[in-house]
Amino acid sequence: MLQSKKRWNVQECDEQLVNEFVENLNITPLVASLLLNRGMTTVEAAREFLHVDAQTFHDPFLLHDMDKAVARIQQAIDHNEKIMIYGDYDADGVSSTSVMLSALQQLGADTDFYIPNRFTEGYGPNKAAFDKINAGGYQLVITVDTGISAVEETAYARELDFDLIITDHHEPGPILPDAYAIIHPKLPGSTYPFKELAGVGVAFKLAHALLGELPEHLLELAVIGTIADLVPLVDENRLIARKGLDYLKLTKRTGIEALLSVCGVKREEITEDTIGFAMAPRINAVGRLQDADPAVHLLMTTNAEEAKGLAKEIDALNKVRQQIVNDITEEAVEFVENMYPPDENSVLIVEGEGWNAGVVGIVASRLVEKFYRPTIVLSIDSENRIAKGSARSIEGFDLFANLSKCRDILPHFGGHPMAAGMTLNSDDVEELRTRLNEQASNVLTEQDFIPITSVDTVCTTEEITLENIEQMSALAPFGMHNPKPKVLIKDVHTTSMRKIGANKNHLKLVFEDSGVSVDAVGFGLGYILDEVSPIAKVSLVGELSINEWNNMRKPQLMVEDISVDEWQMFDYRSAIDVKRFFEQVFTDQMKVVAFHDSTIDKYKSMLPMEHVVLIQDEEQAKACMFAGEQIVLLDLPPSQKWLEALFFQGIPSRIYAIFLTEEDHYFDTIPTRDHFKWFYGFLAKKGPFDLKRYKEDLAIHKGWSKETIDFMAKVFFELEFVTINNGLISLVKNSAKRDLIESATYRQKQQQIEIEKNFIYTSYVQLKNQFQDIFKRSIE
């Protein structure tokens, strides 16, 4: 067997609905099942999802306070009041700020922006910033992607006598700020049709309401924050993403062109991954290491030289950010393993003196990936006794809800069920750790700590076609709640498998079923080559793609996980280098079974003795529990019955066959009954015979080996046909007639010949079949 890295949650489909979708939408059954698994339960819903470009945006005035906010902003523009846009330092906040700036500038407003410094000011509105804004003569402040938790700061804004409009999408707390207007799709009692907008989506709605018509030219900015913030790409977010990517490919924004250039991305190659893995990390890097202002300037500039310089600066900051993340992650992993091991902690809280607070969210994500526990990573400022950090969660543990239960020690926090940010007194970190672990123990089970892969459908090799893969592209852009489709291919044979890459850490394979072969690649899965036996049937989970090379287009599977459901046999019988096996192949999950203490003595220096089990009789073999285990058969037992006894209590998951032998019985001269008859007659004729002196002469005369003569002498002795005294062998007169099989030595020789024939001198397939037969007899 080979256990998959994750639990595979394979979704099931209503076949009747699949057929209905196929008939009405002119799509393949595979694509129909993908639509159903994304919640499209009617033909009309599926049609709308597929033809997203035909959809329209919701009326922005359905958002609470939208009319009030628009009127106040228009008043400020009409009276030449100074308007400050107060943003956030991540990609969502930067793009939100840019959308609002663009809309207000288009309307001729006197406007500027302010983004707090992550390190000196922290997240969200703060009183010191409001003092600066007030001193600058600003009479209206509009927050974007922030502010819903700023209850005290909003009250302070009223004291300073400027109006505050909050636009945000983060989870509202139990008390809302007393702002002039709050535009938020999740406000209690909100009737807005879609609740999951990103911060930039809310800013885009305000821009729409202000401009009086859909600002399509701002979609190239709105798509950045929408994809970067990992909001569900359904409904209006899907529309923003789909149209936004189209506009991004046609962009005339000098800054975006410069950013794409340093990312090495061509316009026609832009996808959601371009934002998620190239643009957004660079934009985020600015606010993670310093003031985020350069990121806004890059998106807003019309000067090509300035754009080029800013893009290079941001790219360099991203490289620095990557190194910082790697260094902190290494420290954090060591901290977890040494101080708070995952098997003893349901929630991991990791803190470090002076860690860069701007990257702890990335580190938290990496720790979740490695340990699969809800994780909080905190940067400690010991001088001010402050801990700032970010949290990431796993399925089944709502971060926002559980952190809400700790409000008394969390003066400032906000976020979502799966991610959050916070500031607290460093003295309260241990208390937070205790509370969250207790809360998690009440809701999480052992099963919850096994990562889950959601699999859309089971797919046959015949369904892996260019047509199917091309039709899947209609489901893009992919993201939260609309992930890239994952398929399961069950129980197929691999026709080839090898390690690839400079470090041989990737896997290249070809699998086949029903006469159809498919290429597959698994990045980082090179180690699996040693864990899949030659004829095993494998199950694969991955994403389908098209491999284009040398003007050829072929379907291919990008493998993410592999399992083998049947027991496996690994053949290490031929010219085995025992030392290499135990140095390179052996793992702590294996148990080494030996049947002869002489084998153990001979190889003791290289054997992992704490994993060695010596079996010395059938009863001992029968008492062993190897069901589901990985066992190494170091040598052969005296009889095949010992193997049947060994598996009496269950089938192992893997057998590594080494079968070291000190003697080669199979190719020895095997005495026939005629041999024994001649030898008996020889002894009767010659009388007592001195084996020590004349055995070699006799062997030469007959063309036998000396071992053959010793063997026949021992058999005769056990049958009481002869006596042997100091090498002198003599017949016993009038001995009882007995069959050769009554001799233990004769039986053992026959058994050894048979077991060597069946287990050493056989092909791989024959050997596996031998074990298969043994398992059947053991169960019976």
Side-chain angles (χ1 to χ4, degrees), residues 198-240:
V200 72
V202 181
F204 183 79
K205 301 305 295 186
L206 178 53
H208 184 180
L210 283 168
L211 294 171
E213 60 183 8
L214 186 71
E216 295 204 5
H217 61 292
L218 298 180
L219 283 167
E220 61 185 325
L221 294 173
V223 68
I224 295 173
T226 297
I227 289 176
D229 214 53
L230 301 179
V231 291
L233 288 191
V234 296
D235 201 280
E236 209 160 29
N237 286 339
R238 176 167 167 78
L239 192 53
I240 290 172

Coordinates of all heavy atoms in Angstrom, one line a residue, residues 198-240:
A198 N -14.4 41.6 -2.1 CA -13.1 42.0 -1.5 C -13.2 43.5 -1.2 O -14.1 44.1 -1.6 CB -11.9 41.7 -2.5
G199 N -12.2 44.0 -0.5 CA -12.1 45.4 -0.2 C -12.2 46.2 -1.4 O -12.9 47.2 -1.5
V200 N -11.5 45.8 -2.5 CA -11.5 46.5 -3.7 C -12.8 46.4 -4.4 O -13.2 47.3 -5.2 CB -10.3 46.0 -4.6 CG1 -10.6 44.6 -5.2 CG2 -10.0 47.0 -5.7
G201 N -13.5 45.3 -4.2 CA -14.9 45.2 -4.8 C -15.8 46.2 -4.2 O -16.6 46.8 -4.9
V202 N -15.7 46.4 -2.9 CA -16.6 47.4 -2.2 C -16.2 48.8 -2.8 O -17.1 49.7 -3.1 CB -16.4 47.4 -0.7 CG1 -17.3 48.4 0.0 CG2 -16.8 46.0 -0.2
A203 N -14.9 49.1 -2.9 CA -14.4 50.4 -3.4 C -14.9 50.6 -4.9 O -15.3 51.7 -5.3 CB -12.9 50.5 -3.4
F204 N -14.9 49.5 -5.6 CA -15.4 49.5 -7.0 C -16.9 49.8 -7.1 O -17.3 50.6 -7.9 CB -15.1 48.2 -7.7 CG -15.5 48.1 -9.1 CD1 -14.7 48.7 -10.1 CD2 -16.7 47.5 -9.5 CE1 -15.0 48.6 -11.5 CE2 -17.0 47.4 -10.9 CZ -16.2 48.0 -11.8
K205 N -17.6 49.3 -6.1 CA -19.1 49.6 -6.1 C -19.3 51.1 -5.8 O -20.2 51.7 -6.4 CB -19.8 48.8 -5.0 CG -19.7 47.2 -5.2 CD -20.1 46.7 -6.5 CE -21.6 47.0 -6.8 NZ -22.0 46.3 -8.1
L206 N -18.5 51.6 -4.9 CA -18.6 53.1 -4.6 C -18.2 53.9 -5.8 O -18.9 54.9 -6.1 CB -17.7 53.4 -3.4 CG -17.7 54.9 -2.9 CD1 -19.1 55.4 -2.7 CD2 -16.8 55.1 -1.7
A207 N -17.2 53.5 -6.5 CA -16.8 54.2 -7.7 C -17.9 54.1 -8.7 O -18.2 55.1 -9.4 CB -15.5 53.6 -8.3
H208 N -18.6 53.0 -8.9 CA -19.7 52.8 -9.8 C -20.8 53.8 -9.4 O -21.3 54.5 -10.3 CB -20.2 51.4 -9.7 CG -21.3 51.0 -10.7 ND1 -21.8 49.8 -10.8 CD2 -21.9 51.8 -11.6 CE1 -22.8 49.8 -11.7 NE2 -22.8 51.0 -12.2
A209 N -21.1 53.9 -8.2 CA -22.2 54.7 -7.7 C -21.9 56.2 -8.0 O -22.7 57.0 -8.4 CB -22.5 54.5 -6.3
L210 N -20.6 56.6 -7.7 CA -20.2 58.0 -7.9 C -20.2 58.4 -9.3 O -20.6 59.5 -9.7 CB -18.8 58.1 -7.3 CG -18.6 58.2 -5.8 CD1 -17.2 58.1 -5.4 CD2 -19.2 59.6 -5.3
L211 N -19.7 57.5 -10.2 CA -19.5 57.8 -11.6 C -20.8 57.7 -12.4 O -20.9 58.2 -13.5 CB -18.4 57.0 -12.2 CG -17.0 57.2 -11.7 CD1 -16.1 56.1 -12.2 CD2 -16.5 58.6 -12.0
G212 N -21.8 57.0 -11.8 CA -23.1 57.0 -12.5 C -23.2 55.9 -13.6 O -24.2 55.6 -14.1
E213 N -22.0 55.3 -13.9 CA -22.0 54.2 -14.9 C -20.9 53.2 -14.5 O -20.0 53.6 -13.7 CB -21.8 54.7 -16.3 CG -20.5 55.5 -16.5 CD -20.4 56.0 -17.9 OE1 -21.4 55.9 -18.7 OE2 -19.3 56.5 -18.2
L214 N -21.0 52.0 -15.0 CA -20.0 51.0 -14.6 C -18.6 51.4 -15.1 O -18.3 51.6 -16.3 CB -20.3 49.7 -15.3 CG -19.4 48.5 -14.8 CD1 -19.7 48.1 -13.4 CD2 -19.6 47.3 -15.8
P215 N -17.6 51.6 -14.1 CA -16.3 52.0 -14.5 C -15.4 50.9 -15.0 O -14.5 50.4 -14.2 CB -15.8 52.6 -13.2 CG -16.5 51.9 -12.1 CD -17.8 51.5 -12.7
E216 N -15.7 50.4 -16.2 CA -15.0 49.2 -16.7 C -13.5 49.4 -16.7 O -12.7 48.4 -16.6 CB -15.5 48.8 -18.0 CG -17.0 48.4 -18.0 CD -17.4 47.5 -19.2 OE1 -16.5 47.1 -19.9 OE2 -18.6 47.1 -19.3
H217 N -13.0 50.6 -16.9 CA -11.6 50.9 -17.0 C -10.9 50.7 -15.6 O -9.7 50.6 -15.5 CB -11.4 52.4 -17.4 CG -11.9 53.4 -16.5 ND1 -13.3 53.6 -16.3 CD2 -11.3 54.3 -15.7 CE1 -13.5 54.5 -15.4 NE2 -12.4 55.0 -15.0
L218 N -11.7 50.5 -14.5 CA -11.1 50.3 -13.2 C -11.1 48.8 -12.9 O -10.6 48.4 -11.8 CB -11.9 51.0 -12.1 CG -11.9 52.6 -12.3 CD1 -12.7 53.2 -11.1 CD2 -10.5 53.1 -12.3
L219 N -11.6 48.0 -13.8 CA -11.7 46.5 -13.5 C -10.3 45.9 -13.5 O -10.0 45.0 -12.7 CB -12.5 45.8 -14.5 CG -14.0 45.9 -14.4 CD1 -14.8 45.5 -15.6 CD2 -14.5 45.2 -13.1
E220 N -9.3 46.5 -14.2 CA -8.0 46.0 -14.2 C -7.3 46.2 -12.8 O -6.4 45.5 -12.5 CB -7.1 46.6 -15.3 CG -7.0 48.1 -15.2 CD -6.3 48.8 -16.3 OE1 -5.3 48.1 -16.9 OE2 -6.6 49.9 -16.7
L221 N -7.8 47.1 -12.1 CA -7.3 47.3 -10.7 C -8.1 46.4 -9.7 O -7.5 45.8 -8.8 CB -7.4 48.8 -10.3 CG -6.6 49.8 -11.0 CD1 -7.0 51.2 -10.6 CD2 -5.1 49.6 -10.7
A222 N -9.4 46.4 -10.0 CA -10.3 45.6 -9.1 C -9.9 44.1 -9.1 O -10.0 43.5 -8.1 CB -11.7 45.8 -9.5
V223 N -9.5 43.6 -10.2 CA -9.2 42.2 -10.3 C -8.0 41.9 -9.5 O -7.9 40.7 -8.9 CB -9.0 41.8 -11.8 CG1 -7.7 42.4 -12.4 CG2 -8.9 40.3 -11.9
I224 N -7.0 42.8 -9.3 CA -5.8 42.5 -8.5 C -6.2 42.2 -7.1 O -5.8 41.1 -6.5 CB -4.8 43.7 -8.6 CG1 -4.3 43.9 -10.0 CG2 -3.6 43.5 -7.7 CD1 -3.5 45.1 -10.3
G225 N -6.9 43.1 -6.4 CA -7.3 42.8 -5.0 C -8.2 41.7 -4.9 O -8.2 40.9 -3.9
T226 N -9.1 41.5 -5.8 CA -10.1 40.4 -5.7 C -9.5 39.1 -5.7 O -9.8 38.2 -4.9 CB -11.1 40.5 -6.9 OG1 -11.8 41.8 -6.8 CG2 -12.1 39.4 -6.9
I227 N -8.5 38.9 -6.6 CA -7.8 37.6 -6.7 C -6.8 37.5 -5.5 O -6.6 36.4 -4.9 CB -7.1 37.4 -8.0 CG1 -8.2 37.1 -9.1 CG2 -6.1 36.2 -8.0 CD1 -7.7 37.0 -10.5
A228 N -6.1 38.6 -5.2 CA -5.0 38.5 -4.2 C -5.6 38.2 -2.8 O -4.9 37.6 -2.0 CB -4.3 39.9 -4.2
D229 N -6.8 38.7 -2.5 CA -7.4 38.6 -1.2 C -8.1 37.3 -1.0 O -8.6 37.0 0.1 CB -8.3 39.7 -0.9 CG -8.3 40.1 0.6 OD1 -7.2 40.4 1.1 OD2 -9.3 40.2 1.2
L230 N -8.1 36.4 -2.0 CA -8.6 35.0 -1.8 C -10.1 35.0 -1.4 O -10.5 34.2 -0.6 CB -7.8 34.2 -0.8 CG -6.3 34.1 -1.2 CD1 -5.6 33.3 -0.1 CD2 -6.1 33.4 -2.5
V231 N -10.8 35.9 -2.0 CA -12.3 35.9 -1.7 C -12.9 34.9 -2.7 O -12.3 34.6 -3.7 CB -12.9 37.3 -1.9 CG1 -12.5 38.2 -0.8 CG2 -12.6 37.9 -3.3
P232 N -14.1 34.4 -2.4 CA -14.7 33.4 -3.3 C -14.9 34.0 -4.7 O -15.6 35.0 -4.9 CB -16.1 33.1 -2.6 CG -15.9 33.5 -1.2 CD -14.9 34.6 -1.2
L233 N -14.4 33.3 -5.7 CA -14.6 33.8 -7.1 C -15.9 33.2 -7.7 O -15.9 32.5 -8.6 CB -13.4 33.3 -7.9 CG -12.1 34.1 -7.7 CD1 -11.1 33.8 -8.8 CD2 -12.3 35.6 -7.6
V234 N -17.0 33.7 -7.1 CA -18.3 33.4 -7.6 C -19.1 34.7 -7.7 O -18.7 35.7 -7.2 CB -19.0 32.4 -6.7 CG1 -18.3 31.0 -6.7 CG2 -19.1 32.9 -5.2
D235 N -20.2 34.6 -8.3 CA -21.1 35.8 -8.4 C -20.4 37.0 -8.9 O -19.7 37.0 -9.9 CB -21.8 36.0 -7.1 CG -23.1 36.9 -7.2 OD1 -23.0 38.1 -7.3 OD2 -24.2 36.3 -7.1
E236 N -20.5 38.1 -8.2 CA -19.9 39.4 -8.6 C -18.4 39.4 -8.7 O -17.7 40.0 -9.5 CB -20.4 40.5 -7.8 CG -20.5 41.9 -8.5 CD -21.4 42.9 -7.8 OE1 -21.5 42.8 -6.5 OE2 -21.9 43.7 -8.5
N237 N -17.8 38.6 -7.8 CA -16.3 38.5 -7.8 C -15.8 37.8 -9.0 O -14.8 38.1 -9.6 CB -15.8 37.7 -6.6 CG -15.9 38.5 -5.3 OD1 -16.0 39.7 -5.3 ND2 -15.9 37.8 -4.1
R238 N -16.6 36.8 -9.5 CA -16.3 36.1 -10.7 C -16.3 37.0 -11.9 O -15.5 37.0 -12.8 CB -17.2 34.9 -10.9 CG -17.0 34.1 -12.2 CD -17.8 32.8 -12.2 NE -17.9 32.2 -13.5 CZ -16.9 31.5 -14.1 NH1 -15.7 31.4 -13.5 NH2 -17.0 31.0 -15.3
L239 N -17.3 37.9 -11.9 CA -17.5 38.9 -13.0 C -16.3 39.9 -13.0 O -15.8 40.2 -14.0 CB -18.8 39.6 -12.8 CG -19.3 40.5 -13.9 CD1 -19.4 39.7 -15.2 CD2 -20.7 41.0 -13.6
I240 N -16.0 40.3 -11.8 CA -14.8 41.2 -11.7 C -13.6 40.6 -12.2 O -12.8 41.1 -12.9 CB -14.6 41.7 -10.2 CG1 -15.8 42.7 -9.8 CG2 -13.3 42.4 -10.0 CD1 -15.8 43.0 -8.3

